[in-house]
Amino acid sequence: MSRKFNFCAGPAALPEAVLQRAQQEMLDWQGKGLSVMEMSHRSQEFVSIAEQAEADLRELMQIPANYKVLFMQGGASSQFAMLPMNLGGKGGTANYIYTGIWGKKAIAEGQRFLPTHLAASSEGNGLTAVPRQQDLLISQDACYLHYTSNETIGGLEFDYIPEASVPLVCDMSSDILSAPVDVSRFGVIYAGAQKNIGPAGLTLVIVREDLLDQAQEGLPTMFSYKTFAENSSMYNTPPTFAWYLSGLVFDWLKNDIGGLDKMAEINRRKASKLYSAIDSNDFYANPIQPQNRSIMNVPFTLADSSLDKLFLQEAEAAGFLNLAGHRSVGGMRASIYNAVPEEAVDALIEFMNAFAKNRG
Ligand SMILES: *Cc1c(COP(=O)(O)O)cnc(C)c1O
């Protein structure tokens, strides 16, 4: 067996130790004679897996007691609509900060349910820097302010948490758990699991309890945060295996890595090496302002884009997978989430330097 270096933006690399443990437990989970996939979600066994995962996540992110953790489905994309449904019931305007493609999709869904207002936008600088706090124009009647902490496609990341007197909502799909964050600053945090949490199929929502009565009237049961909050996310059958595997990732973060401070230190080192390699010659480029360069998703271009195909071919042959940029923007992108080991980044840099030398 030889596992390659996987830089996929999502579904993304998982920690090898987690996959090994899942493999060991696959046929017979802890001597119970069945796999997690075959368990009733209401069994004592699965309930203990679910509760442990939530407890570990709460400890890792230091989630205050007045927040609910919801284990949902439908991806971050469903949250784009569930947010206005669940927070817009008392009227008001949904406010958004626009910094890239995912934020744009969130706005488009918001508009289907509520009047919306653009509080700030990075359009003026070509999506190369996030708006500063003093540039935010939040409307008087805002029912929430939404932003995307890390734009996965552009590689643009907030270097601060916006200040707002209304509930702050954040799409943290691609940088949740990459560093410590003060959860108490937020009304809602949500993330699809397949970047930095676990396998696809699970969507995490962290919501402040007092916001659970802001929902629009007559929501379908399964679109209501309250349904999930009141039923420990088990009103219906949850994505049990994805929940279990995410729990193994939380355990890995806690016990193998040593928590989010440690994880952040490693992530910053990985990203800073890669950006240095990109900046150190004229062969590669990244357009993002240094303070907003993502530590998770590193897009880069070749000065001569006619070499793109060759770069990707040679990279793949050398064991570096999924380095193509998003289909909407082209170029390259290395996603270096928590589970991508530092050795993978070191090896990629070596490959990039050699390629530049041979073809530059
Ligand atoms: C991947 C991604 C999404 C979409 O996630 P799905 O789970 O596929 O719906 C939304 N927002 C951000 C920031 C993402 O990275």
Side-chain angles (χ1 to χ4, degrees), residues 74-78 80 102 148 150-152 171 173-174 192 194-195 203:
S77 301
S78 295
F80 296 163
W102 291 116
T148 313
N150 181 59
E151 279 286 356
T152 320
D171 177 357
S173 291
S174 51
Q194 69 275 18
K195 276 75 182 245
T203 310

Side-chain angles (χ1 to χ4, degrees), residues 15-204:
E16 199 170 307
V18 165
L19 294 175
Q20 274 164 355
R21 183 159 160 205
Q23 183 183 46
Q24 279 161 18
E25 296 181 338
M26 179 67 76
L27 294 184
D28 179 6
W29 183 80
Q30 300 195 0
K32 300 292 176 184
L34 77 177
S35 81
V36 174
M37 276 181 276
E38 303 163 299
M39 285 175 187
S40 163
H41 58 294
R42 312 225 179 262
S43 65
Q44 209 185 353
E45 289 81 9
F46 186 75
V47 169
S48 76
I49 288 170
E51 288 177 350
Q52 189 62 51
E54 179 174 338
D56 285 343
L57 178 70
R58 282 184 174 276
E59 189 184 326
L60 276 168
M61 291 184 74
Q62 301 192 10
I63 300 173
N66 63 323
Y67 283 73
K68 294 284 189 188
V69 178
L70 315 180
F71 292 82
M72 303 184 76
Q73 301 189 54
S77 301
S78 295
Q79 292 307 314
F80 296 163
M82 281 191 219
L83 272 172
M85 287 180 179
N86 280 279
L87 297 192
K90 301 259 160 90
T93 302
N95 279 230
Y96 289 86
I97 304 175
Y98 166 62
T99 54
I101 291 168
W102 291 116
K104 192 172 200 163
K105 290 194 165 178
I107 295 167
E109 284 300 290
Q111 285 169 337
R112 298 163 63 93
F113 300 92
L114 291 174
T116 59
H117 165 74
L118 202 55
S121 165
S122 292
E123 197 142 38
N125 60 45
L127 307 176
T128 59
V130 308
R132 307 314 304 170
Q133 176 70 41
Q134 62 267 27
D135 300 326
L136 305 185
L137 288 168
I138 302 168
S139 52
Q140 290 286 332
D141 67 340
C143 52
Y144 60 81
L145 173 67
H146 177 285
Y147 78 111
T148 313
S149 52
N150 181 59
E151 279 286 356
T152 320
I153 295 170
L156 184 66
E157 190 167 29
F158 271 77
D159 54 331
Y160 71 102
I161 300 175
E163 198 79 60
S165 56
V166 298
L168 183 63
V169 175
C170 185
D171 177 357
M172 265 187 213
S173 291
S174 51
D175 65 349
I176 192 166
L177 296 170
S178 65
V181 61
D182 181 358
V183 174
S184 73
R185 300 277 301 276
F186 297 87
V188 179
I189 291 170
Y190 66 92
Q194 69 275 18
K195 276 75 182 245
N196 225 7
I197 297 173
L202 176 72
T203 310
L204 211 60

